[in-house]
Amino acid sequence: MINNRQQRPTTLVGVLDLERLDTDLFRGWSSRGELPVRLFGGQVAGQALIAAGRTVEPTRSVHSLHAYFLRPGDPAVPVIYLVDRIRDGGSYSTRRVVGLQRGEAIFQLSASFHLPAQGLTHAEPMPLVPPPDQVRTLEDWYADAGAESAPWMQWFRAEQFRAEVRCVDEPPALAAERGPRPARQRVWFRSAEPLPDDPLVHVCVLTYVSDLDLLSTALLPHASNSRDTSMASLDHAVWFHRPFRADGWLLHDRESPVASGGHALVRAHVYDADGHLVASIAQEGLVRTPRREPDHRGTAEQRGSVNSANH
């Protein structure tokens, strides 16, 4: 447990660790204003899942979480996590966690834990992709494009994001310049440091990285990037299918099947390096582009065609 809340954690486990204030009340680390951006959603989700897991018997593992991002988090303020023990049954336990800043809810999570059980087994196969050692890092993609100073990369470095990221496909923010492409990206992740054997730590690390650049998958068919698009995660769900290690390589196969009404949906399958489907992710987010006024030059007939197309 972190005792000095003013000290910046040097490991990913430290970022996700919590200070226990009372039986079901926890406080998470914050950057205390060191970082000039809003609080990373994956950090809040990972910390909330740690809080839930600390109130459940260790023989029960988490199999799903469903969360809502309610307000932007302030990185200068610690998050207080209040756990509600909804139910402890014979095989399942359910927890609800609310993340608070300045007395207001910024995040809500429901998580379900269960005892190991036997049942049917099948899974979609892992797509054929190059192994991580043959794929460029996220930093290399941006360096090769001369975009090391892009705001997204400034955040990535300032956050000292503690996971290795290797992109099979060109990152969406860079791909916009080359026109539309299918709404799919494949990304390898793993923790940048060895992790303890506690299974709760590994699912929380996966939860932490699951929010990184996920929603931008929806920009690919529109050749758009985050500079000219308002984006925010709204709700997030993860299903954990089987045990895995987050300090081993995990492939995130992401796709966006639909965007409409200012919202976009992104889904992902997560595979370990041996091809086992270990988790599934779904996120809906706000995706809005600037409103474009119709061009009033040209004939009335031309203006009518433009307006019809915009509807």
Side-chain angles (χ1 to χ4, degrees):
M1 178 179 294
I2 300 170
N3 294 316
N4 181 1
R5 305 309 298 174
Q6 298 295 330
Q7 184 177 356
R8 184 181 178 88
T10 58
T11 66
L12 180 50
V13 172
V15 169
L16 297 177
D17 197 9
L18 303 175
E19 179 185 11
R20 195 166 211 147
L21 303 177
D22 206 334
T23 304
D24 295 328
L25 192 66
F26 303 85
R27 177 165 55 201
W29 174 83
S30 72
S31 65
R32 300 197 181 277
E34 299 169 26
L35 307 180
V37 294
R38 64 186 180 188
L39 195 57
F40 174 48
Q43 177 180 319
V44 181
Q47 289 180 340
L49 187 56
I50 286 280
R54 288 194 177 170
T55 69
V56 176
E57 291 294 325
T59 53
R60 301 190 177 202
S61 58
V62 62
H63 69 89
S64 68
L65 68 85
H66 301 263
Y68 286 91
F69 297 96
L70 305 175
R71 292 180 175 89
D74 185 346
V77 179
V79 182
I80 303 298
Y81 297 96
L82 177 61
V83 181
D84 189 358
R85 303 185 186 218
I86 300 297
R87 180 177 183 269
D88 286 306
S91 300
Y92 289 85
S93 294
T94 304
R95 297 292 185 265
R96 180 173 60 209
V97 184
V98 177
L100 303 162
Q101 284 187 325
R102 301 189 181 93
E104 291 188 323
I106 66 165
F107 180 81
Q108 177 179 299
L109 173 144
S110 294
S112 182
F113 298 76
H114 73 126
L115 290 170
Q118 298 297 318
L120 301 176
T121 300
H122 72 268
E124 292 187 12
M126 185 172 78
L128 296 175
V129 298
D133 60 357
Q134 297 179 18
V135 175
R136 281 188 283 178
T137 66
L138 180 67
E139 297 92 327
D140 287 342
W141 275 104
Y142 275 80
D144 292 346
E148 305 97 319
S149 61
W152 198 90
M153 282 306 298
Q154 290 181 13
W155 171 85
F156 187 85
R157 288 190 294 267
E159 179 70 16
Q160 297 178 17
F161 197 77
R162 294 167 177 84
E164 296 183 57
V165 185
R166 292 179 175 267
C167 304
V168 176
D169 309 293
E170 187 176 28
L174 303 177
E177 298 180 1
R178 270 159 284 289
R181 81 173 200 216
R184 188 181 188 189
Q185 58 169 328
R186 285 80 53 85
V187 185
W188 288 101
F189 288 95
R190 72 174 176 185
S191 168
E193 69 257 357
L195 299 174
D197 291 335
D198 183 356
L200 180 62
V201 171
H202 293 266
V203 297
C204 290
V205 168
L206 174 55
T207 301
Y208 172 80
V209 302
S210 68
D211 187 45
L212 180 70
D213 210 24
L214 178 63
L215 190 57
S216 64
T217 310
L219 302 181
L220 290 167
H222 309 281
S224 181
N225 60 53
S226 56
R227 292 193 303 273
D228 54 16
T229 307
S230 297
M231 301 175 63
S233 305
L234 297 176
D235 58 82
H236 195 78
V238 186
W239 295 266
F240 304 98
H241 307 310
R242 51 174 53 87
F244 60 89
R245 293 195 64 92
D247 50 5
W249 286 110
L250 297 172
L251 176 70
H252 293 227
D253 183 15
R254 300 167 164 183
E255 64 172 356
S256 177
V258 63
S260 178
H263 292 167
L265 177 68
V266 179
R267 303 180 300 207
H269 284 162
V270 182
Y271 298 86
D272 65 17
D274 293 326
H276 300 120
L277 180 58
V278 300
S280 298
I281 301 165
Q283 182 179 96
E284 185 183 40
L286 172 74
V287 180
R288 291 177 179 168
T289 55
R291 183 178 179 85
R292 292 182 173 86
E293 296 298 330
D295 187 353
H296 294 289
R297 294 171 298 178
T299 66
E301 182 179 358
Q302 289 171 331
R303 293 197 303 270
S305 298
V306 171
N307 289 334
S308 297
N310 287 341
H311 289 296

